[in-house]
Each structure stands twice: as structure tokens, then as C-alpha cells.
Amino acid sequence: MKINGYKFGHPVFGDPDYYDFKPVCNIDSKIENDYFIITSDLINFGVNEKIIEMIKQKEAKVIAEVFCTYTMFRKVFEQDFLYNISIPLENLKNKVEVVFLIVANIDLPNYKNQAIKKDLRDLEFYIEKGEILAYLGEYNFELGLNGTSLDSI
């Protein structure tokens, strides 16, 4: 899933069209006990208190969309506040792509966020359940696993 260059009809935290700052998400990965593990120790939302409150109130949720083009593995992981994802290595090969997002958990008919650019703060937006509220980043992980397909010969 590629987000860069996509235009949203509502504020998405991480999109420079709406915000003057971006969230910071520290992501780590490792292979352990036949699992690929993705974790985060911090998601810094800066002064965007609205997103934090929405997650606490279950109006928004933290997700990661994981995709492996070599095995066609695809799964969305819902997380509490930080990321802690374990995927059996038998489902993966070579490269794993992950998009970290916060999405609306309910319809938000009058969405406003005081953290957006000053000239947009008085606007209200209709956001449907499942729409993206924050883009935390897109990562590609090279697993370095040897397989028996044609590309390993």
C-alpha cells in the first residue's frame, strides 16, 4: 500500500498539506524463534492531543498493514497503542512491507483537530469508519532468508 502522493479529503496527520509537523514512530524488527517481530517503543504525536484522546476513547485505532509480495501474505494487525507484531517466518520470504496507520474506529461527522494548520482549524470534516487519520510511516524490511525459488538459484 503506497500512501505517498495520495490526496485525502480530510486532515491526515503526517500529510504536510494539513500539518506543519509529522508523528515520529520508532520501529524495530528482529527474527526470533521462527518469527519475524516488529515493535515500537514510542509514537510521538507532538501537540496532536486530539489523536491521542481518540485512541484512548476507542474512536480511533492503531493498525499496521503487513504485506509480503513473495508469498502474497497480507494481514492487518490492530494494536493498543504501540506496535508488537509477531509473524511466523513460514508466511514470509525476502522482503516485508509495512504501513503504520491510525484509522477511525467510528464515523466522525464533525471532525475537527486544533493541531492542523491554522487556516484550516475552523473547518469540519466528515470521516467514515476505517478512514485514515494518521500516517505513521511505511517501512520495507529485508529478511535475508534463503529460499528454494528461482530467484535463489
Side-chain angles (χ1 to χ4, degrees):
M1 178 180 189
K2 301 291 181 203
I3 298 291
N4 294 337
Y6 187 82
K7 296 295 181 191
F8 298 93
H10 62 274
V12 172
F13 188 38
D15 182 342
D17 289 345
Y18 295 102
Y19 294 89
D20 291 323
F21 57 95
K22 292 184 176 189
V24 176
C25 188
N26 293 335
I27 301 293
D28 287 313
S29 68
K30 64 182 176 181
I31 295 176
E32 184 176 276
N33 299 326
D34 293 327
Y35 283 86
F36 179 58
I37 300 168
I38 304 166
T39 58
S40 67
D41 61 355
L42 168 76
I43 301 175
N44 183 346
F45 295 100
V47 296
N48 196 338
E49 296 175 16
K50 176 76 171 178
I51 294 287
I52 296 168
E53 186 62 30
M54 291 176 71
I55 294 169
K56 288 179 181 176
Q57 298 296 323
K58 305 289 186 207
E59 294 174 349
K61 58 186 169 184
V62 178
I63 67 166
E65 181 181 344
V66 179
F67 185 62
C68 178
T69 57
Y70 290 92
T71 64
M72 297 307 290
F73 175 83
R74 178 181 221 133
K75 186 170 182 179
V76 174
F77 292 87
E78 292 184 25
Q79 304 290 285
D80 288 327
F81 210 93
L82 299 176
Y83 293 100
N84 188 4
I85 299 166
S86 295
I87 305 165
L89 285 176
E90 64 191 24
N91 295 327
L92 307 172
K93 183 181 169 195
N94 295 344
K95 185 170 115 178
V96 176
E97 300 172 34
V98 186
V99 178
F100 298 97
L101 304 166
I102 296 173
V103 298
N105 206 27
I106 60 171
D107 286 344
L108 302 165
N110 302 82
Y111 179 74
K112 290 176 87 168
N113 189 328
Q114 292 303 305
I116 65 175
K117 290 184 177 183
K118 197 174 195 175
D119 56 336
L120 301 172
R121 290 185 185 155
D122 291 332
L123 298 177
E124 291 184 351
F125 299 89
Y126 185 87
I127 297 175
E128 294 179 0
K129 180 179 179 178
E131 288 192 296
I132 298 170
L133 294 170
Y135 170 68
L136 304 177
E138 197 170 309
Y139 292 78
N140 292 312
F141 300 99
E142 298 293 334
L143 298 182
L145 301 173
N146 293 328
T148 57
S149 66
L150 290 176
D151 57 312
S152 66
I153 297 175

